[in-house]
Amino acid sequence: MALAAAVLGNMVPVPFIILYIRHIFHWLQKQNPWWNERIEALERKAHLKGRLVRKYRTLGLCVLVAIPLPGTGAWTGALVAAVLDMRLKDAVPTIFLGVCIASAIMTVVTYGAIHIL
């Protein structure tokens, strides 16, 4: 039950991030110039992480999301997909698959392969 809740909680914001993050960034930049540097830094990071995604498209996005390390994951994958203008119908299932892979990896690491098998 906890695994399902974690996957669902990870996925709920993904379509909204893909669809609206650029609009939110633009709105924030218009409200206060203080946001300019921070948003540019986020977009730079997304472009750097997006190198793998640009080269391999959906497979690269899946790998980016599936690696259970800080700075990767569903929300970062959604930001990369938004910055690279990936279609929602391609990005969301790919991110979901990556989240499932990452959750499987973390389950094995947490419980140990011996206890799962």
Side-chain angles (χ1 to χ4, degrees):
M1 190 64 156
L3 181 62
V7 170
L8 181 64
N10 223 336
M11 287 302 299
V12 166
V14 166
F16 299 105
I17 293 170
I18 294 170
L19 290 174
Y20 299 117
I21 196 66
R22 291 187 137 194
H23 300 293
I24 293 168
F25 283 172
H26 182 69
W27 180 79
L28 286 171
Q29 287 173 322
K30 283 174 40 178
Q31 297 302 312
N32 189 341
W34 179 83
W35 285 104
N36 290 342
E37 286 180 37
R38 283 131 191 97
I39 290 172
E40 287 173 13
L42 272 175
E43 288 179 338
R44 263 194 312 277
K45 282 184 181 180
H47 276 288
L48 287 173
K49 291 183 184 291
R51 284 184 284 172
L52 177 70
V53 177
R54 268 193 297 280
K55 186 172 181 181
Y56 298 107
R57 298 302 291 171
T58 54
L59 179 62
L61 182 61
C62 184
V63 169
L64 173 69
V65 174
I67 299 170
L69 292 172
T72 64
W75 297 7
T76 302
L79 177 61
V80 169
V83 168
L84 297 179
D85 292 321
M86 290 184 75
R87 294 178 58 123
L88 190 66
K89 71 176 192 165
D90 296 330
V92 171
T94 303
I95 291 170
F96 178 73
L97 179 61
V99 167
C100 290
I101 293 169
S103 64
I105 292 169
M106 290 311 299
T107 300
V108 168
V109 168
T110 302
Y111 290 110
I114 295 170
H115 296 286
I116 292 174
L117 301 174

